[in-house]
Amino acid sequence: MESWREGKHQKRAEVAVIGAGVSGLAAAHVLRDHSLQVALYEREERVGGRATTRVRAGFCFDPGAQYIHGNAPASDALLLQRLATSELVAIAKPVWTFDSQNRIREGDPRQNALPRWTYRHGLLTLAELMARELTVYTHCEIARLAYLRPGWRLFSTSGQVVAEVPNVLVTLPAPEAAALMAASELPSELQQTLLAELGKARYRPLLSVALAWPRSALPPTPYYALVNSDKAHPISWLAREEEKSPERVPPAWTLLIVQLAPDYSRAHWSWDDQALATAATTLVSTLLGQRLPAADFYDVQRWPLALPEPETLLEAEALHRVSAPYGLFFSGDAFTGGRVHLALAQGEESAFRLLTSRR
């Protein structure tokens, strides 16, 4: 994994993967296993997308995706076999529920019987382990594509050629993928169809607030996290990071991840971080039935494209009937939703679709 530089000499690749979230990384592993040369291009400094970790003031926490579901073939094969590490841990305590009236109840025993995997020092560990075996260029935003009949030319934001490849796999959220297609030089009919299909996906915003206090301010709980069951509360998810592993927080401290509901996030998007931390503290105090002081530490992560609306998920087959003959493929949460294990599986599925098209 290395940072991109303009004018950098390119190693020859057969597939360019745009976006190095877990879906793109999973696809790249399958393609590499089948002897294809793959290069991934990531706009951000780090890989992983929303499966990420922040380290601030001695606290280590996951502001986006919270854990990885177990008993899922794609993720179990990666976590437990290919990338097995002592850093991987199962979250011991269960997830309970709460409703709009702040009534807290025990969660579904069947769901709580399934493993919830994470890493001692953050969920970003998964993406970093996956990236080690791959050619990944960070700080490299692909601004447009040009179809070469056959093949593809990729351009940076400054207009310089980044690569020329036979196949492209786009793993961006659907609105960003649509913007890329709109800026690209494509056959007109292909472009119109892609924009129509990608435009069907609608995304929820998410404000994720981390709040920390001395542990004496918040007694132990029988659960790791709480999830809103009726979708009618300003909080959608509340979790304690030290329940993932004690290494996440300094001794005798607690850190809560407060993920705010879509409507609340939209209404408060422009609030500054301190105001959001204060509002989140009030909401948590009401939910837990105890008055919490101002947090000693807070951090806010804004996710404008956090999760696709379930009723707007795209049909991969419909999209690829049009794009695959051109060597253009798509993957990511627009097809599966925001779960890490689903993103891994969908990335692998997209890779096999690409491999089938080459035969």
Side-chain angles (χ1 to χ4, degrees):
M1 188 166 63
E2 58 185 295
S3 183
W4 174 260
R5 300 187 307 275
E6 291 287 0
K8 182 179 179 63
H9 176 69
Q10 278 297 286
K11 298 176 182 177
R12 178 172 175 78
E14 293 162 282
V15 183
V17 178
I18 301 176
V22 292
S23 182
L25 292 166
H29 272 274
V30 171
L31 297 170
R32 184 173 176 271
D33 289 348
H34 286 77
S35 302
L36 292 186
Q37 296 294 318
V38 184
L40 295 96
Y41 301 94
E42 169 58 46
R43 175 181 61 191
E44 304 297 336
E45 177 184 3
R46 300 193 294 182
V47 296
R50 290 186 299 278
T52 192
T53 302
R54 302 185 84 163
V55 179
R56 301 282 190 278
F59 297 95
C60 173
F61 53 96
D62 301 325
Q66 294 293 289
Y67 59 83
I68 308 163
H69 277 282
N71 287 12
S75 54
D76 282 0
L78 275 171
L79 275 59
L80 305 179
Q81 299 173 33
R82 182 170 193 152
L83 302 176
T85 171
S86 60
E87 277 283 297
L88 184 71
V89 292
I91 302 171
K93 289 186 178 180
V95 173
W96 285 17
T97 67
F98 66 96
D99 62 18
S100 59
Q101 302 304 309
N102 298 305
R103 292 178 293 226
I104 297 174
R105 296 185 174 92
E106 292 190 31
D108 184 338
R110 293 169 298 177
Q111 289 295 319
N112 282 318
L114 298 174
R116 292 184 174 91
W117 297 109
T118 188
Y119 292 86
R120 296 183 191 279
H121 294 93
L123 203 56
L124 178 62
T125 303
L126 171 62
E128 291 180 334
L129 289 171
M130 295 176 75
R132 284 181 186 175
E133 301 178 18
L134 303 170
T135 300
V136 183
Y137 299 108
T138 57
H139 293 109
C140 185
E141 181 176 0
I142 304 302
R144 64 185 177 94
L145 311 176
Y147 182 55
L148 302 178
R149 297 179 175 81
W152 295 89
R153 183 175 291 139
L154 283 63
F155 295 87
S156 69
T157 52
S158 67
Q160 293 201 17
V161 175
V162 173
E164 290 186 2
V165 294
N167 301 280
V168 172
L169 172 60
V170 179
T171 70
L172 307 173
E176 294 181 353
L180 177 60
M181 294 301 105
S184 297
E185 301 166 29
L186 312 178
S188 178
E189 184 177 352
L190 172 64
Q191 189 174 49
Q192 291 175 13
T193 302
L194 292 178
L195 292 178
E197 289 295 319
L198 293 168
K200 294 176 181 177
R202 296 288 180 270
Y203 278 69
R204 301 171 180 173
L206 170 66
L207 291 169
S208 183
V209 183
L211 303 169
W213 297 271
R215 199 165 298 179
S216 58
L218 195 61
T221 55
Y223 49 81
Y224 141 64
L226 298 172
V227 63
N228 180 219
S229 56
D230 59 9
K231 312 299 182 187
H233 196 283
I235 296 174
S236 61
W237 173 264
L238 178 69
R240 300 184 74 153
E241 286 296 290
E242 69 272 15
E243 296 292 357
K244 294 178 176 178
S245 64
E247 297 92 337
R248 296 289 187 104
V249 302
W253 283 80
T254 187
L255 186 142
L256 298 186
I257 294 293
V258 187
Q259 295 194 334
L260 297 165
D263 287 345
Y264 189 94
S265 293
R266 289 187 188 96
H268 298 80
W269 194 259
S270 62
W271 283 26
D272 64 42
D273 290 0
Q274 184 175 10
L276 287 170
T278 299
T281 299
T282 300
L283 291 171
V284 172
S285 296
T286 302
L287 173 58
L288 299 183
Q290 67 175 100
R291 185 179 177 84
L292 290 168
D296 291 80
F297 164 83
Y298 63 84
D299 185 83
V300 176
Q301 174 73 54
R302 290 168 172 81
W303 299 106
L305 301 174
L307 297 169
E309 296 284 358
E311 64 274 14
T312 70
L313 291 179
L314 305 182
E315 295 182 12
E317 290 299 329
L319 193 66
H320 287 102
R321 276 196 297 270
V322 176
S323 67
Y326 294 88
L328 179 62
F329 301 85
F330 296 85
S331 185
D333 60 10
F335 302 95
T336 62
R339 303 287 188 177
V340 175
H341 70 291
L342 296 177
L344 292 168
Q346 218 276 324
E348 293 184 358
E349 178 185 324
S350 297
F352 283 115
R353 182 179 285 110
L354 190 156
L355 289 167
T356 299
S357 76
R358 290 173 56 90
R359 293 173 186 162

